[in-house]
Amino acid sequence: MPNAAHSAPTRQRIIQAVLKIIGEDGVAAVTNRRIAREAGVSLGSVTYHFETQHELLRESLLHFVREEARHFTELADQCQTEGIDIEAAASLAGQVACGTALDSAHLAPFELYLHAGRDERLREAAAEAFRAYDRLAARILGALGVPDAERLAATTVALVMGLQLRRLATGSPAEDLVDALLLLARGASRPAVS
């Protein structure tokens, strides 16, 4: 087992290279030689840190989601500290979406999610990723006072991911995401009519 402190930078470079390759050319383009070249490591380092391509893909997906969840959790904490209303939360989501570059790094997770649909060994990693997004959405919705936030979390995540995918594929504006989130949050905040 490698020394964790010594191997972390190499491992990180390998994961970043995998995400870059997937985002540029898809999962089929991921080869150990290309990873080594992109990461600036030896070919042996790739197989030393990741025994199988499945492990590489799984860890790359989880790494991306953990980083995204960490970033969005910080934003959620900031919202809870400062207090935020629905319009401000939707505006913040739009700012985040606008700040998200339409680049290979943001295409990679979509490629990995699709690959998980073909490779059941990646499904648990994809499920873990979506659980993290759902927890974060429930937390933000709850902070906004949206009733039944836990139940609406998956729908919110699906909406955001679908609109981000649309934005990546078409270049559509982030304002579409803001409008959709406002529609969802306002509808969820209204009392049910009997």
Side-chain angles (χ1 to χ4, degrees), residues 19 60-76 96-97 99-101 103 105-106 109-110 113 129 132-133 136 140 160-161 164:
L19 290 170
S60 296
L61 175 60
L62 292 175
H63 168 76
F64 178 85
V65 170
R66 287 179 188 131
E67 287 301 306
E68 288 277 286
R70 181 190 57 74
H71 174 69
F72 292 132
T73 298
E74 289 171 4
L75 289 173
V96 169
T100 301
D103 60 14
H106 290 87
F110 287 101
Y113 294 137
Y133 286 132
L136 180 57
I140 293 169
V160 170
M161 293 203 67
Q164 280 295 77

Side-chain angles (χ1 to χ4, degrees), residues 71-72 75 90-103 106 160 163-164 167-168 171-179 181:
H71 174 69
F72 292 132
L75 289 173
S91 176
L92 180 61
Q95 291 170 19
V96 169
C98 284
T100 301
L102 299 175
D103 60 14
H106 290 87
V160 170
L163 287 170
Q164 280 295 77
R167 186 169 168 257
L168 287 166
S172 64
E175 289 77 23
D176 291 352
L177 174 62
V178 174
D179 292 343
L181 287 173

Side-chain angles (χ1 to χ4, degrees), residues 151-173:
R151 188 175 62 82
L152 291 172
T155 302
T156 303
V157 169
L159 175 69
V160 170
M161 293 203 67
L163 287 170
Q164 280 295 77
L165 179 59
R166 180 183 183 134
R167 186 169 168 257
L168 287 166
T170 67
S172 64

Side-chain angles (χ1 to χ4, degrees), residues 12-23:
Q12 283 302 109
R13 287 197 319 259
I14 292 169
I15 287 172
Q16 293 295 3
V18 169
L19 290 170
K20 182 176 185 245
I21 293 165
I22 292 170

Side-chain angles (χ1 to χ4, degrees), residues 32-107:
N32 286 355
R33 287 189 195 290
R34 182 156 177 203
I35 294 165
R37 188 173 53 251
E38 290 282 344
V41 301
S42 70
L43 186 57
S45 289
V46 176
T47 56
Y48 176 74
H49 289 281
F50 300 95
E51 290 183 20
T52 65
Q53 189 174 52
H54 163 70
E55 181 186 359
L56 244 170
L57 295 176
R58 182 176 55 83
E59 289 303 313
S60 296
L61 175 60
L62 292 175
H63 168 76
F64 178 85
V65 170
R66 287 179 188 131
E67 287 301 306
E68 288 277 286
R70 181 190 57 74
H71 174 69
F72 292 132
T73 298
E74 289 171 4
L75 289 173
D77 289 345
Q78 181 183 352
C79 292
Q80 285 183 320
T81 302
E82 297 173 0
I84 193 165
D85 63 11
I86 290 173
E87 285 78 14
S91 176
L92 180 61
Q95 291 170 19
V96 169
C98 284
T100 301
L102 299 175
D103 60 14
S104 63
H106 290 87
L107 286 171

